């Protein structure tokens, strides 16, 4: 979340900065100012009453000792005692409203990203490989079903729409991609984590999924647990309420997890195949950084995500998102998009983001340099990368005229074959 003090010190400046997201947050910030003023008034009133109680607690014994009548002052203290709980309750109510506004306000976009209203205003910064020319390319779902390696029909019967059974070499391909990603990232300095696939409400709030995106989450009924939408949630919250030593930074983790998303509001979008599923596999990259070099680390993280795609020989491009296409918690994001022959366009396969201290403030993750005061870290993450989308891209990019699919060379040791027939 944003720093309340920063907002109150420069409400117009913060409103202008948030306005780059093409939404007006002036009303929310004005409401926050009003609530903060009311909170300070209430606290001053409570403090004055408690001071009066303290004074009276010393005065009453002396009055009694002097034989004076204490009826009036006792009645006054009784009235104060009855009023303080009501004021305390109002303070709590105001605090809850303040917290709610702060939890819903998005992050301030970095000055280094372009202004824009939608994805068409994103800027390509580099690309790798040339899209392969394939005459009448088949979509991956047709290839997968013809090869007997993808079975959405059985998954629909067992679970529902937007789920898949992988079979035979399809299951092995999914596993091979996952293992290749983890092996590659750990060789490049990441510590592998295998996290829980459930997270509690505090963890989901810490990384920004709650409360704003509750409808996109799968909630376990009668519990505070949610199915994770990405390993970002449990891995980032590993250090919730921690104070790290600056010598530990940057901390770099990679983690495989299954991911679960309700995809609320996405009806009709990529409903066939592996691109938009309710359950999918992903390898996530997460970093905790000193604010002084977090943007340097973002560049490294993005290059690490690109590297695995390059090793697979998958044509892709990297774009920097404009202010209007930026995720709620991010200050700057690079999207990596792979070429999908059947789509005839690039499709997102990874988002690499610097959240600056937005998540760290929510999750209370700090670091300390020696005896200095503890400060908030910067958190980063990126898909390293989405496994199902990679499988879909491999099937399409490496398809052959006879319906077979060539296995990328780096995956052959995992697959035990060079072709899927």
């Amino acid at each position: 979340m944003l720093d309340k003090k920063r907002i109150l010190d420069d409400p117009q400046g913060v409103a202008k900065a948030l306005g780059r997201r093409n939404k007006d947050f002036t009303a929310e910030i004005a409401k926050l100012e009003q609530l903060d003023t009311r909170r300070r008034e209430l606290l001053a009133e409570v403090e004055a009453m408690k001071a009066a109680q303290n004074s009276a607690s010393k005065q009453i014994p002396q009055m009694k000792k002097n034989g004076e009548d204490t009826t009036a002052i006792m009645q006054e203290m009784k009235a104060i005692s009855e009023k303080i709980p009501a004021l305390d309750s109002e303070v709590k109510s105001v605090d809850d409203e303040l917290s709610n506004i702060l939890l819903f306000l998005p992050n301030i976009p970095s000055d280094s990203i372009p202004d824009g209203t939608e994805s068409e205003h994103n800027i390509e910064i580099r690309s790798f490989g040339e899209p392969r020319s394939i005459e009448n390319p088949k979509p991956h779902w047709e290839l997968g079903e013809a090869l007997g390696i993808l079975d959405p029909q059985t998954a629909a019967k067992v679970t529902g729409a937007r789920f898949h059974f992988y079979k035979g070499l399809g299951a092995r391909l999914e596993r091979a991609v996952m293992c290749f990603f983890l092996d590659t990232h750990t060789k490049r300095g990441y510590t592998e984590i295998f996290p829980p696939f459930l997270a509690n409400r505090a963890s989901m709030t810490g990384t920004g999924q709650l409360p704003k995106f509750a409808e996109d989450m799968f909630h376990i009924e009668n519990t505070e647990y949610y199915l994770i939408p990405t390993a970002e949630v449990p891995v980032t919250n590993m250090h919730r309420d921690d104070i790290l030593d600056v010598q530990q930074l940057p901390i770099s983790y990679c983690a495989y997890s299954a991911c679960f998303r309700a995809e609320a509001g996405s009806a009709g979008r990529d409903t066939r195949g592996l691109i938009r599923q309710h359950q999918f596999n992903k390898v996530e990259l997460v970093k905790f950084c000193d604010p002084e070099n977090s943007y340097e680390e973002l560049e490294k993280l993005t290059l690490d995500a690109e590297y695995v795609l390059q090793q697979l020989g998958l044509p892709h491009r990297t774009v920097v998102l404009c202010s209007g296409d930026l995720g709620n918690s991010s200050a700057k994001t690079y999207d990596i998009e792979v070429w999908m022959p059947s789509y005839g366009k690039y499709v997102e396969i990874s988002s690499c983001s610097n959240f600056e201290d937005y998540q760290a403030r929510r999750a209370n993750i700090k670091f300390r340099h020696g005896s200095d005061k503890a400060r908030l870290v910067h958190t980063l993450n990126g898909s390293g990368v989405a496994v199902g989308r990679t499988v879909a891209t491999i099937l399409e990019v490496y398809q052959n005229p006879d319906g077979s699919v060539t296995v990328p060379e780096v995956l052959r040791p995992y697959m035990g074959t060079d072709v899927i027939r």
Side-chain angles (χ1 to χ4, degrees), residues 239-393:
H239 293 298
R240 177 156 46 90
D241 296 323
D242 284 354
I243 297 178
L244 307 168
D245 190 284
V246 71
Q247 299 301 323
Q248 296 175 263
L249 305 179
I251 297 173
S252 301
Y253 293 131
C254 67
Y256 155 74
S257 78
C259 305
F260 305 88
R261 298 185 186 177
E263 294 287 0
S266 64
R269 296 174 58 197
D270 301 315
T271 54
R272 301 189 68 180
L274 301 173
I275 299 301
R276 195 174 294 276
Q277 296 280 281
H278 289 308
Q279 175 187 322
F280 58 94
N281 295 312
K282 184 154 66 80
V283 171
E284 192 78 359
L285 306 177
V286 176
K287 289 194 177 193
F288 300 83
C289 304
D290 186 323
E292 291 184 9
N293 55 33
S294 67
Y295 277 95
E296 208 175 295
E297 292 298 329
L298 175 62
E299 300 301 322
K300 293 178 182 178
L301 184 147
T302 306
L303 291 174
D304 287 333
E306 292 173 5
Y307 179 77
V308 292
L309 297 174
Q310 292 164 10
Q311 295 302 296
L312 290 168
L314 299 178
H316 60 272
R317 68 177 185 177
T318 301
V319 301
V320 60
L321 299 193
C322 70
S323 57
D325 201 31
L326 198 62
N328 192 73
S329 299
S330 178
K332 182 175 184 175
T333 295
Y334 291 114
D335 269 6
I336 304 171
E337 302 172 342
V338 289
W339 178 258
M340 296 286 288
S342 75
Y343 283 60
K345 65 178 183 179
Y346 287 95
V347 176
E348 183 226 320
I349 199 168
S350 172
S351 285
C352 301
S353 301
N354 187 346
F355 303 103
E356 297 187 352
D357 61 11
Y358 186 88
Q359 289 182 330
R361 182 170 285 104
R362 297 168 79 106
N364 191 33
I365 308 172
K366 297 181 178 180
F367 76 103
R368 178 180 282 123
H369 190 293
S371 59
D372 293 348
K373 182 180 177 181
R375 298 161 52 204
L376 294 168
V377 301
H378 280 191
T379 61
L380 289 70
N381 75 51
S383 305
V385 293
V387 178
R389 291 192 177 199
T390 302
V391 168
T393 308

Side-chain angles (χ1 to χ4, degrees), residues 148-282:
I149 61 174
L150 294 178
D151 184 358
Q153 288 80 15
T154 301
K157 177 181 71 174
V158 172
T159 306
R162 296 198 184 184
F163 292 89
H164 265 77
F165 272 100
Y166 291 77
K167 293 180 175 180
L169 288 179
R172 193 183 301 178
L173 178 60
E174 181 92 356
R175 176 161 52 90
V177 169
M178 183 194 314
C179 291
F180 168 68
F181 287 166
L182 289 170
D183 289 346
T184 302
H185 291 311
T186 52
K187 289 174 184 175
R188 292 169 70 85
Y190 290 81
T191 299
E192 183 176 347
I193 302 294
F194 185 52
F197 294 172
L198 295 178
N200 58 31
R201 181 176 296 275
S203 293
M204 298 291 274
T205 302
T207 43
Q209 280 73 27
L210 292 180
K212 188 166 186 174
F213 301 105
E215 66 174 5
D216 290 323
M217 304 299 115
F218 284 110
H219 180 227
I220 309 300
E221 191 175 3
N222 299 321
T223 76
E224 67 162 359
Y225 298 136
Y226 292 78
L227 291 171
I228 61 171
T230 164
E232 167 199 345
V233 176
V235 175
T236 302
N237 280 279
M238 286 171 63
H239 293 298
R240 177 156 46 90
D241 296 323
D242 284 354
I243 297 178
L244 307 168
D245 190 284
V246 71
Q247 299 301 323
Q248 296 175 263
L249 305 179
I251 297 173
S252 301
Y253 293 131
C254 67
Y256 155 74
S257 78
C259 305
F260 305 88
R261 298 185 186 177
E263 294 287 0
S266 64
R269 296 174 58 197
D270 301 315
T271 54
R272 301 189 68 180
L274 301 173
I275 299 301
R276 195 174 294 276
Q277 296 280 281
H278 289 308
Q279 175 187 322
F280 58 94
N281 295 312
K282 184 154 66 80

